[in-house]
């Protein structure tokens, strides 16, 4: 369907009318700006920075072509030192430079000093965005009762009615956790029959035992404050910067019958939330981009709401209020009721026709994201009595999929130009650098140096990083099955390298060192057993898939003092760059036919399960059941690794096209059966040729090797636009 673009006078830009209406009727009035200077500023930004952006992308392609040619000329096994010499000769490996320390200032404590869980959520879904933001605080009782953390032999988490035995197990588990996090002097929380606030100055929390003994905290300094409403009492404690609330309420259904009238234990959970405009959304045109931007603006204004039907009732989600307390000395204070929000922009390679430049070409979407998301953040004045998102006046923007220091420097330039355009102080726009591309990993210190005045975040992510690893070394040889890749030397070295360089460059006290997502939202017992490794590895935040997971994962940060752990790790030997640069290759002739087929089926089913929702429904992040019907949270990173894996095996003749086609068709029928009960679901296997989702999945596999850096966006966007046109009757 053709659209009539609006030509903005004097700017040379042509603006999609849907996007123009949002900017001029919603965004600019919210920040008291005029349309003319805004469009003129955008035009200047696009005109002056587009050539540099194109050069950076051309540099990516040129380096990849040289690496491909080297591998074709040097079949494995090759001399590793020769490989490193080659990478240096083409400028892929950069000189690390002299040691330095970050210069970032004005960072909120949730990012700079306190370690805790981090949620990533698609900002185009208002309900999910609000839920994530409100996950700053979560009920430990609910999180335990509703998941498999508590043994289910005496009743499932989601069984019929209340299970008293399960409830008792929840209370016991919570008491044991409190004994670790907020220990009492000579007693257990299991033995407390009543709580009170001592009358002395400063006030203290007093626990009464069954034998009428009064006991205090082992560490008086952990008592942070309290609030009282009649006979309801909330006690506030703190450990490693994270807060814990004990809700004493004799009128609450749980508190009425509970020992000490303890109605709930509430944990400060998702300290930070990344509101995502990138991999977890499906924004292919101006209409989609406006939905993304409008929700981010609503979050910044504190006015975003989401209404929906649940169990026959109409519910509305709103942003939570702040929490008010009295300190032990009697002074009133409040804590934020919401996560500190970061926003993830798209990468340098993306374009959008929401705006066309003077040549009628789609502009680079990263430029538009930087300007619009920063402008939206200027509306964060808060409501009366509500703390703003950033108390330091900073705007936190996570930048993904950068390749090397030149691209990080380009981001620094882009952000500086946006600050000038919007009249913001220098370095107001803070940046998070996602270490998910191989050229960024091996040049991480130089990337950090390029943004040293505004960096607040680095992280690792297995899926995207592995996808780029496969694509970079596509012609080196066949890769092992995905699960085996996790055991390759490069992955451990990569994880440690990120932490080591983050510490050496001065991130502790200034920013976050993050770890990747736990993908199984229904396997919380397994998460609790494994994800404690992240704070022990020196990570100050790690991604979780839900508010419930955030509350459970918060317990790990009470058990590990991350700042102390980072201090310990500062003296260890730097992880091996040599190991990072060993591509994960395998002798696939040693794999059985059954093992090869199982890996192919796993990849094909995962691709189809994700793509069918992306193309047909515009859902960028969803819980996709695997072949064992285990729900996995998936976004484009999952798609990238799976499609690149099949493309690699096709290139090296581990599988052939007919085998892949057969697997795709067989897995499509399985995915159709898994989704059969979803309202409006469109089957793929009924008409393979007519299913746009199936055709998109085929493209991602059979054209995967030719996609720049193995990215999936170009193909996904093209097929999604066809699906939207079909739905309109176009």
């Amino acid at each position: 369907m053709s659209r009539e673009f609006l030509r903005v006078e004097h700017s040379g830009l042509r603006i999609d009318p849907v996007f123009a209406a949002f900017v001029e009727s919603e965004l600019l009035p919210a920040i008291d700006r005029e349309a003319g200077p805004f469009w003129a500023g955008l035009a200047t930004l696009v005109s002056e920075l587009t050539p540099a952006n194109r050069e950076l992308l051309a540099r990516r392609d040129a380096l990849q072509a040289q690496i491909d040619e080297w591998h074709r000329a040097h079949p494995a096994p090759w001399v590793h030192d020769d490989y490193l010499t080659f990478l240096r000769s083409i400028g892929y490996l950069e000189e690390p430079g002299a040691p330095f320390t970050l210069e970032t200032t004005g960072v909120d404590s949730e990012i700079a000093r306190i370690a805790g869980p981090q949620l990533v959520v698609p900002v185009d879904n208002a309900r999910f965005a609000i839920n994530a933001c409100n996950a700053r605080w979560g009920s430990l009782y609910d999180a335990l009762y509703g998941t498999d953390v508590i043994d289910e032999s005496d009743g499932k988490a989601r069984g019929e009615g209340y299970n008293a035995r399960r409830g008792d197990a929840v209370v016991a588990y919570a008491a044991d956790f409190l004994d670790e996090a907020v220990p009492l002097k000579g007693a257990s929380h299991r033995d407390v029959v009543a709580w009170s606030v001592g009358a002395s100055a400063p006030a203290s929390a007093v626990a009464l035992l069954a034998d009428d003994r009064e006991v205090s905290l082992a560490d008086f300094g952990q008592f942070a404050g309290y609030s009282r409403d009649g006979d309801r009492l909330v006690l506030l404690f703190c450990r490693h910067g994270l807060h814990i609330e004990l809700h004493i309420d004799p009128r609450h259904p749980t508190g009425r019958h509970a020992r000490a009238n303890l109605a709930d234990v509430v944990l400060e959970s998702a300290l930070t939330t990344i509101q995502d405009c990138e991999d977890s959304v499906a924004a292919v045109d101006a209409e989609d981009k406006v939905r993304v931007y409008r929700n981010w603006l609503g979050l910044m204004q504190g006015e975003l709401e989401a209404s929906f039907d649940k169990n026959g009732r109409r519910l509305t989600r709103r942003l939570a209020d702040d929490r008010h307390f009295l300190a032990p000395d009697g002074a009133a204070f409040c804590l934020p009721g919401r996560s500190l929000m970061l926003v993830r922009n798209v990468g340098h390679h993306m374009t959008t026709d929401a705006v066309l430049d003077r040549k009628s070409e789609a502009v680079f979407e990263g430029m538009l994201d930087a300007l619009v998301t920063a402008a939206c953040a200027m509306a964060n004045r808060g409501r009366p009595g509500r703390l703003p998102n950033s108390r330091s006046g900073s705007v936190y923007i996570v930048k993904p999929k950068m390749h090397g220091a030149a691209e990080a420097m380009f981001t620094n330039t882009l952000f500086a130009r946006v600050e000038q355009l919007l009249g913001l102080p220098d370095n107001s726009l803070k940046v998070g650098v996602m270490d998910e591309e191989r050229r960024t990993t091996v040049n991480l210190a130089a990337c950090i140096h390029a943004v040293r005045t505004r960096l607040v975040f680095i992280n690792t992510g297995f899926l995207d990083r592995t996808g780029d690893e496969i694509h970079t070394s596509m012609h080196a040889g066949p890769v092992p099955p995905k699960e085996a890749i996790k055991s390759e030397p490069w992955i451990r070295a990569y994880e440690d390298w990120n932490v080591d360089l983050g510490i050496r460059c001065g991130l502790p006290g200034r920013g976050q060192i993050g770890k990747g997502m736990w993908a199984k939202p229904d396997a919380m017992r397994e998460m609790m057993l494994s994800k404690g490794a992240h704070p022990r590895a020196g990570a100050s935040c790690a991604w979780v898939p839900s508010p419930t997971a955030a509350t459970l994962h918060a317990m790990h940060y009470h058990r590990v003092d991350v700042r102390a752990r980072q201090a310990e790790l500062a003296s260890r030997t730097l992880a091996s760059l040599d190991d990072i640069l060993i591509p994960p290759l395998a002798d696939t002739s040693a794999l059985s036919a059954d093992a090869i087929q199982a890996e192919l089926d796993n990849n094909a089913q995962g691709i189809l399960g994700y793509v069918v929702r992306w193309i047909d429904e515009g859902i960028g992040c969803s819980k996709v059941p695997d072949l064992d019907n285990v729900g996995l949270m998936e976004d484009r990173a999952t798609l990238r690794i799976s499609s690149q894996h099949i493309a690699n095996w096709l290139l090296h003749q581990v599988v052939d096209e007919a085998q892949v086609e057969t697997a795709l068709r067989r897995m499509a029928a399985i995915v159709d059966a898994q989704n059969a009960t979803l309202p409006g679901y469109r089957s793929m296997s009924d008409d393979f040729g007519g299913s746009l989702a199936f055709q998109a999945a085929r493209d991602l596999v059979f054209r995967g090797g030719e996609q720049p850096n193995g990215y999936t966006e170009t193909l996904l966007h093209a097929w999604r636009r066809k699906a939207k046109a079909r739905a309109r009757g176009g």
Side-chain angles (χ1 to χ4, degrees):
M1 183 176 70
S2 62
R3 292 168 292 161
E4 292 295 329
F5 280 76
L6 303 178
R7 187 176 295 278
V8 178
E9 188 176 2
H10 305 309
S11 75
L13 299 177
R14 294 171 61 208
I15 316 294
D16 186 290
V18 174
F19 178 61
F22 165 74
V23 169
E24 296 186 2
S25 301
E26 300 178 50
L27 172 57
L28 295 181
I31 61 174
D32 195 25
R33 297 300 174 96
E34 297 294 327
F38 181 87
W39 295 124
L42 175 59
T44 301
L45 198 70
V46 168
S47 174
E48 295 183 357
L49 296 187
T50 291
N53 200 330
R54 288 185 177 139
E55 288 178 11
L56 292 170
L57 298 182
R59 176 66 170 156
R60 291 185 190 179
D61 293 342
L63 287 172
Q64 185 62 57
Q66 290 174 287
I67 292 171
D68 289 346
E69 182 56 37
W70 192 90
H71 283 308
R72 281 191 287 261
H74 299 80
W78 60 83
V79 177
H80 189 62
D81 286 348
D82 291 349
Y83 178 55
L84 300 187
T85 298
F86 160 71
L87 292 179
R88 290 190 178 93
S89 72
I90 64 173
Y92 186 93
L93 273 178
E94 306 169 34
E95 292 300 320
F100 66 94
T101 300
L102 286 176
E103 302 167 23
T104 312
T105 59
V107 185
D108 291 274
S109 60
E110 293 95 329
I111 289 177
R113 291 183 292 278
I114 309 173
Q118 186 170 70
L119 279 169
V120 183
V121 63
V123 72
D124 63 342
N125 186 309
R127 178 181 171 186
F128 292 173
I130 294 169
N131 286 349
C133 192
N134 289 348
R136 176 67 175 256
W137 300 87
S139 164
L140 180 58
Y141 279 7
D142 288 349
L144 292 170
Y145 188 89
T147 66
D148 64 349
V149 174
I150 297 297
D151 188 275
E152 297 187 302
S153 58
D154 290 322
K156 295 290 185 181
R158 297 168 185 82
E160 293 291 330
Y162 177 71
N163 182 330
R165 182 172 293 184
R166 185 172 183 81
D168 290 344
V170 166
V171 171
Y173 188 109
D176 290 344
F177 163 69
L178 291 172
D179 283 344
E180 290 184 77
V182 193
L184 299 172
K185 185 179 293 184
S188 167
H189 282 267
R190 290 187 181 221
D191 302 326
V192 177
V193 297
W195 282 97
S196 63
V197 176
S200 60
S204 60
V206 178
L208 180 67
L209 306 183
D211 60 4
D212 291 332
R213 282 189 299 132
E214 290 186 346
V215 296
S216 60
L217 300 181
D219 178 358
F220 286 95
Q222 285 194 269
F223 182 55
Y226 64 98
S227 66
R228 195 189 301 275
D229 179 13
D231 54 0
R232 299 172 182 170
L233 175 66
V234 175
L235 300 173
L236 183 71
F237 305 105
C238 187
R239 181 176 174 84
H240 301 155
L242 283 174
H243 292 93
I244 301 171
E245 294 178 344
L246 300 191
H247 288 226
I248 316 301
D249 187 354
R251 289 181 285 170
H252 188 276
T254 299
R256 185 181 307 125
H257 304 289
R259 196 175 181 92
N261 299 130
L262 184 58
D264 206 351
V265 177
V266 175
L267 304 187
E268 195 172 17
S269 302
L271 275 183
T272 55
T273 294
I274 296 177
Q275 300 286 342
D276 188 25
C277 308
E278 194 229 5
D279 266 4
S280 66
V281 305
V284 304
D285 54 24
E287 176 187 38
D288 294 337
K289 287 301 292 187
V290 165
R291 184 170 64 252
V292 167
Y293 292 149
R294 180 177 286 126
N295 284 354
W296 176 241
L297 177 62
L299 289 168
M300 292 294 94
Q301 291 175 303
E303 298 173 354
L304 186 64
E305 295 183 355
S307 296
F308 56 95
D309 295 318
K310 184 175 182 180
N311 299 327
R313 297 175 57 204
R314 188 68 174 169
L315 302 176
T316 298
R317 289 278 190 270
R318 298 180 178 87
L319 294 172
D321 291 327
D322 293 325
R323 304 168 94 85
H324 297 268
F325 303 94
L326 293 176
D329 64 3
F333 70 99
C334 68
L335 295 175
R338 302 154 305 285
S339 291
L340 179 67
M341 287 177 279
L342 303 85
V343 61
R344 182 163 68 173
N345 288 184
V346 303
H348 292 323
H349 62 292
M350 300 282 286
T351 60
T352 176
D353 64 0
V355 178
L356 304 181
D357 65 15
R358 289 181 172 88
K359 298 179 181 179
S360 295
E361 295 179 346
V363 302
F364 281 110
E365 193 173 345
M367 296 183 195
L368 200 64
D369 269 5
L371 177 59
V372 176
T373 58
C376 289
M378 294 172 65
N380 182 235
R381 304 183 181 98
R383 291 178 173 175
R386 174 179 285 177
L387 294 171
N389 182 55
S390 168
R391 275 81 68 202
S392 67
S394 292
V395 179
Y396 300 103
I397 302 177
V398 177
K399 191 68 179 178
K401 296 179 175 58
M402 293 189 290
H403 295 247
E407 297 197 14
M409 181 59 73
F410 179 78
T411 293
N412 194 64
T413 300
L414 172 61
F415 284 13
R417 295 294 299 277
V418 169
E419 288 165 348
Q420 293 167 11
L421 198 161
L422 295 175
L424 294 169
D426 292 349
N427 297 314
S428 296
L429 304 186
K430 304 299 194 289
V431 68
V433 173
M434 297 190 67
D435 178 7
E436 56 187 356
E437 310 298 324
R438 192 175 189 244
R439 189 152 62 101
T440 289
T441 297
V442 298
N443 300 298
L444 184 58
C447 293
I448 292 173
H449 185 267
V451 290
R452 63 190 178 279
T453 61
R454 62 174 83 244
L455 182 74
V456 293
F457 169 92
I458 61 172
N459 78 327
T460 55
F462 168 77
L463 294 172
D464 257 313
R465 181 64 179 78
T466 303
D468 191 60
E469 187 74 24
I470 295 172
H471 189 85
T472 300
S473 304
M474 182 66 73
H475 291 269
V479 296
K482 286 189 299 187
E483 196 61 33
I485 292 177
K486 296 179 181 179
S487 302
E488 291 287 310
W490 75 270
I491 189 71
R492 172 62 184 270
Y494 154 64
E495 293 284 354
D496 289 348
W497 174 264
N498 181 275
V499 173
D500 291 346
L501 287 180
I503 293 172
R504 283 165 167 77
C505 294
L507 264 171
R510 287 185 175 87
Q512 295 173 318
I513 299 173
K515 295 293 182 187
M517 178 66 75
W518 176 260
K520 294 183 277 190
D522 298 325
M524 292 293 97
R525 175 191 286 266
E526 187 181 352
M527 185 195 79
M528 290 302 294
L529 292 173
S530 66
K531 206 166 177 67
H534 284 165
R536 291 194 299 273
S540 54
C541 67
W543 290 358
V544 287
S546 67
T548 294
T551 297
L552 295 170
H553 185 40
M555 289 190 282
H556 291 133
Y557 297 91
H558 287 283
R559 290 167 176 150
V560 179
D561 184 342
V562 173
R563 289 296 299 278
R565 181 62 181 145
Q566 289 173 338
E568 293 173 0
L569 294 172
S571 60
R572 77 176 175 187
T573 302
L574 184 66
S576 170
L577 181 61
D578 279 355
D579 284 352
I580 293 172
L581 285 166
I582 299 174
L585 304 178
D587 177 8
T588 51
S589 66
L591 294 175
S592 69
D594 287 345
I596 290 171
Q597 189 63 54
E599 183 71 9
L600 177 59
D601 288 349
N602 176 276
N603 281 323
Q605 188 269 347
I607 290 169
L608 288 160
Y610 177 73
V611 168
V612 71
R613 298 180 184 180
W614 212 102
I615 300 301
D616 288 345
E617 301 177 64
I619 297 175
C621 181
S622 56
K623 187 167 72 171
V624 177
D626 66 9
L627 279 171
D628 296 319
N629 285 314
V630 175
L632 303 176
M633 293 301 298
E634 295 194 353
D635 64 9
R636 285 202 298 263
T638 316
L639 187 62
R640 186 183 183 193
I641 183 176
S642 297
S643 60
Q644 288 302 293
H645 198 281
I646 297 180
N648 174 271
W649 277 16
L650 277 168
L651 177 66
H652 296 286
Q653 300 178 356
V654 181
V655 295
D656 59 35
E657 290 192 10
Q659 186 178 2
V660 172
E661 181 72 30
T662 299
L664 285 169
R665 291 181 175 234
R666 188 159 39 83
M667 292 302 108
I670 290 176
V671 171
D672 287 342
Q674 290 174 324
N675 289 287
T677 59
L678 295 179
Y681 178 78
R682 289 182 285 278
S683 170
M684 294 179 285
S685 56
D686 288 346
D687 180 10
F688 291 117
S691 170
L692 299 181
F694 185 78
Q695 295 305 315
R698 289 187 79 260
D699 255 7
L700 287 161
V701 169
F702 291 116
R703 298 176 60 189
E706 68 191 57
Q707 299 308 302
N709 305 109
Y711 292 137
T712 61
E713 290 91 324
T714 299
L715 295 174
L716 281 176
H717 281 223
W719 285 104
R720 173 61 184 158
R721 290 169 78 106
K722 289 181 181 180
K724 293 185 76 171
R726 176 185 283 184
R728 291 192 299 263

